[in-house]
Every structure is written in C-alpha cells, then in structure tokens.
C-alpha cells in the first residue's frame, strides 16, 4: 500500500472547511463588536434627546415665569428665539437618534447574516468530518478483514 493510499482524499476540503469556520467566527465577532459599539452610540443619542427635551421643558417654564413677572417685548422675543434655538438642537438630536437606530438595525441584520454564515460553515465542516470518520471506519474494517484473512491463511498453511 502506498503512502498516498493512506491519506484521506478530502483532506484539502477538511482544511478549507475548518478555515471557513474560523473566518466565519471572526466575521461574526467583528459584527457583534460593531453592533455593541453602535448600540452605545444609540444609547448616548437617546440620552441626549431626552436631555434636550427636558431642557426645553425647563426653559419654557422659565419663559412663562418671566412673562408673568412682566418684561419688555425685546426680552420676550429674545426668549422665544432662545426656545427656537433649543428646539432646533432637539430636532438635530432626534435626527441623530434616528440615524443611530438605523445603524443599529443594519448592524443587527449584518450580525444575523454572519450567524447564518457561521452555521452554514459549521454544517459543511461537520459533513466533511462525518465523511472522514466513515472513511476511517471503512479503512479500519478493511485492515481488520485483511488481518483476519492473513491470520486464517497463516493458520491454514500450518495445518498442511
């Protein structure tokens, strides 16, 4: 029997499948890190939006108090301009929050895609491993049969 006959014929496929699993694991890990980072960005955007909303509420209450206390028209206009500026900041914060939420959703989809790719790579690697095990079992069965035949032949030749 040559050394080539003892080598598993799909060894290259086995190696490639194992590499595919490793690459898929790395891609999934990277996607999950990205998702985690984007979730942090989203959480900060949500906090900022809430802070802006709270500040606007407080400033409106102050403006109402100032109006009750009596003030000039110029002061009232200045106060209204300030509230509009705060409102614009709040709208920008809301837009940033929506963008961050969209980024998180895209990252979640990418993570799921990477999970599916990893599952596929594992399934393919397991299929090759099962084939390898069957190949080894068959080789063992053939070797044992050969040994038994040789033993019977040896016993038969001694009887003659």
């Amino acid at each position: 029997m040559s050394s080539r006959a003892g080598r598993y014929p799909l060894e290259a496929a086995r190696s490639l499948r194992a590499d595919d699993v490793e690459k898929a694991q790395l891609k999934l890990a990277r996607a999950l890190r990205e998702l985690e980072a984007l979730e942090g960005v989203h959480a900060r955007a949500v906090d900022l939006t809430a802070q802006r909303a709270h500040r606007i509420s407080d400033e409106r209450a102050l403006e109402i108090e100032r109006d009750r206390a009596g003030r000039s028209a110029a002061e009232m206009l200045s106060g209204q301009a300030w509230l509009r500026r705060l409102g614009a900041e709040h709208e920008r914060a809301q837009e940033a929050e929506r963008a961050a939420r969209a980024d998180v959703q895209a990252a979640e989809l990418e993570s799921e895609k990477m999970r599916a790719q990893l599952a596929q790579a594992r399934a393919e690697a397991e299929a090759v491993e099962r084939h390898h095990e069957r190949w080894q079992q068959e080789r063992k069965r053939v070797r044992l049969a050969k040994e038994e035949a040789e033993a019977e032949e040896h016993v038969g030749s001694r009887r003659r």
Side-chain angles (χ1 to χ4, degrees):
M1 194 180 253
S2 73
S3 64
R4 212 88 176 111
R7 185 166 184 262
Y8 179 56
L10 298 178
E11 190 60 41
R14 245 181 114 201
S15 178
L16 286 173
R17 295 299 181 234
D19 289 348
D20 288 348
V21 169
E22 188 174 328
K23 287 175 188 174
Q25 287 172 330
L26 292 173
K27 285 180 180 180
L28 176 58
R30 192 176 316 118
L32 291 175
R33 282 192 305 273
E34 179 71 15
L35 174 60
E36 186 177 345
L38 290 171
E39 286 173 337
V41 169
H42 180 252
R44 289 187 294 282
V46 168
D47 288 345
L48 182 60
T49 302
Q51 289 171 7
R52 298 281 190 222
H54 184 69
R55 184 168 182 198
I56 289 171
S57 176
D58 289 349
E59 289 294 328
R60 280 195 180 123
L62 283 173
E63 285 298 312
I64 291 170
E65 285 298 315
R66 289 179 189 138
D67 287 347
R68 285 185 188 149
R71 58 185 180 160
S72 69
E75 290 173 328
M76 288 178 137
L77 289 173
S78 175
Q80 291 302 314
W82 174 245
L83 285 175
R84 280 192 300 279
R85 203 168 325 130
L86 289 177
E89 288 177 9
H90 180 66
E91 287 176 17
R92 285 191 299 276
Q94 286 177 317
E95 182 57 37
E97 180 183 338
R98 283 189 292 274
R101 183 177 28 245
D103 289 346
V104 166
Q105 289 170 341
E108 287 171 340
L109 288 174
E110 184 66 16
S111 295
E112 287 306 312
K113 179 180 163 188
M114 294 299 112
R115 277 189 181 94
Q117 286 180 358
L118 176 57
Q120 179 67 34
R122 283 182 175 159
E124 290 172 2
E126 288 171 8
V128 173
E129 285 303 315
R130 282 191 304 274
H131 183 271
H132 181 252
E133 288 172 12
R134 287 190 306 268
W135 179 80
Q136 285 180 319
Q137 290 171 354
E138 178 61 19
R139 283 180 43 102
K140 184 177 180 180
R141 187 191 64 72
V142 167
R143 188 181 71 244
L144 288 175
K146 182 179 177 184
E147 288 174 4
E148 286 178 13
E150 288 174 357
E152 285 179 17
E153 193 175 297
H154 180 69
V155 169
S157 67
R158 291 180 90 192
R159 289 185 187 167
R160 292 184 197 163

